[in-house]
Amino acid sequence: MKKEQTISVIGMPMDLGQKRRGVDMGPSAMRYAGLIEELEKLGFNVRDYGDIAIDRPGSDDTQELRNIKEVIEASEKLQQQVTAIQEKDSFPLILGGDHSMSIGSIAGISKRYKNLGVIWYDAHPDMNTAETSPSGNIHGMPLAVNLGVGHPKLTTIGGYAPKLKPENVVIIGARDIDEGEREMIKRLGIKVFTMHEVDRLGMQRVMEDTITYLAEKTDGVHLSLDLDGLDPQEAPGVGTPVLGGLTYRESHLALEMLAEAELITSAEFVEVNPILDVKNHTADVAVALITSLLGKKLL
Ligand SMILES: NC(=[NH2+])NCCC[C@H](N)C(=O)O
Ligand SMILES: [Mn+2]
Ligand SMILES: [Mn+2]
């Protein structure tokens, strides 16, 4: 992000990609936690575009994938909104919403870059397909879709595919990986820092490696941060918590290092579910992390 850039906030109250209700309130929870005010305090010119209109989950159980029609419609809307923001050279900051929203956000963002990099900060790789998914939930599929693997109606959102090259993706914090995802990670040669590598190397080294790896070959980098990448003790308001996650401190360091490197050109914070949360703590965590990413310094 460039200092002189304005920030454009978009809410994606998406809950169609999984079955637990409440994640559609994630954008409000982050706004309520003071997001816009905090960004203004940092000196940014912030424009809040409000929320994308999302249909209620359909009752039609005969769809090829649960809610696929509604997910496609919502993704197309988000994709157009993001494209318009980038045309104004403003920094897109998208609030979620379940992670299926990344199909739309990255469809919009990647249009602008020949070699978009993505940091997928998440307990899950989200690389399932309809064939490998244990749940049938689209929020477990968006990274595969953006790599061009999955239902053709999803991979071609925005009118082109694929959005990402496997060598431009780094996954950080993975610790719940399904069999089909493991196979795809190996087949495509995706760079993954699982919790094992984070424990062994430490977050500082993980981020140094990530930054060097992406800086060389990308012309923009999108951060897709799923709050379940953090440990459920520190971010309880998520629908698919997994033990043994990244700490709040590690996550701050990671985002501060990204700010220093001036690598990130767009970002999204997803899977905040206030119904499952404790006193909006997870939204507070998300807002604190966003300010670190956008350059808040302690001294
Ligand atoms: N964005 C998320 N929280 N994804 C969780 C996915 C969980 C599991 N791998 C699935 O496919 O259903
Ligand atoms: Mn996740
Ligand atoms: Mn995810």
Side-chain angles (χ1 to χ4, degrees), residues 11-30:
M12 186 66 169
M14 167 71 111
D15 64 354
L16 302 163
Q18 45 84 62
K19 278 175 272 186
R20 304 184 78 161
R21 302 280 73 89
V23 69
D24 57 316
M25 292 185 267
S28 315
M30 285 182 264

Side-chain angles (χ1 to χ4, degrees), residues 99 122 124 126 128 133-137 139-140 176 178 181 226 228 240 271:
H99 219 160
D122 197 326
H124 313 92
D126 293 339
N128 274 305
S133 170
S135 62
N137 292 334
H139 82 153
D176 180 4
D178 297 319
E181 296 181 307
D226 183 330
D228 71 29
T240 48
E271 295 282 350

